[in-house]
């Protein structure tokens, strides 16, 4: 089966990141978090789901941050979510089926 890295760029997302990561827990083969300067508990919360947390100095360039996150990925495929995104149960099942078919 193919593997999938979830790659996220975040900053000050403590209110939503836990819900996002919980919704994909066990579904992704790895989670890569790139923090662009949080001053809240974002990294602490993310650390409950992954040890692949990197700092990236914000340069007003989302593409640079996103590409840096992809550079850290080790799996066959990369997926990204924003910290306020959530995979609901039907979407989790559809993603699992898609992943199994890759």
């Amino acid at each position: 089966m193919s593997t999938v890295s979830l790659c996220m760029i975040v900053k000050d997302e403590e209110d939503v990141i836990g819900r996002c990561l919980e919704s994909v827990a066990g579904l992704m083969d790895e989670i890569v978090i790139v923090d662009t300067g949080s001053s809240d508990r974002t990294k602490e919360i993310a650390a409950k789901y992954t040890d692949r947390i990197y700092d990236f100095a914000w340069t007003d360039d989302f593409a640079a941050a996103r590409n840096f996150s992809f550079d850290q990925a080790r799996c066959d495929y990369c997926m990204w979510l924003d910290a306020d995104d959530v995979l609901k149960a039907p979407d989790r099942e559809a993603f699992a089926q898609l992943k199994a078919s890759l």
Side-chain angles (χ1 to χ4, degrees):
M1 181 184 317
S2 295
T3 57
V4 179
S5 299
L6 172 62
C7 300
M8 298 177 66
I9 56 173
V10 300
K11 181 179 179 184
D12 293 331
E13 300 286 359
E14 72 178 357
D15 292 338
V16 294
I17 194 167
R19 182 182 64 194
C20 176
L21 294 176
E22 188 62 32
S23 80
V24 297
L27 190 59
M28 301 297 164
D29 297 288
E30 76 173 346
I31 297 173
V32 174
I33 303 292
V34 172
D35 188 276
T36 61
S38 292
S39 60
D40 65 0
R41 295 177 46 244
T42 297
K43 292 195 287 185
E44 176 186 335
I45 295 166
K48 296 176 184 175
Y49 298 89
T50 184
D51 61 353
R52 311 272 329 274
I53 301 172
Y54 302 89
D55 291 317
F56 183 84
W58 182 244
T59 60
D60 286 329
D61 186 345
F62 280 98
R66 182 79 65 209
N67 288 338
F68 178 79
S69 74
F70 292 157
D71 287 344
Q72 309 317 306
R74 300 181 292 203
C75 293
D76 300 318
Y77 295 94
C78 294
M79 175 179 170
W80 75 87
L81 291 173
D82 291 329
D84 59 349
D85 290 332
V86 174
L87 285 186
K88 295 182 179 177
D91 300 322
R92 282 181 55 89
E93 181 58 33
F95 187 85
Q97 289 176 6
L98 172 65
K99 186 177 162 187
S101 72
L102 294 175

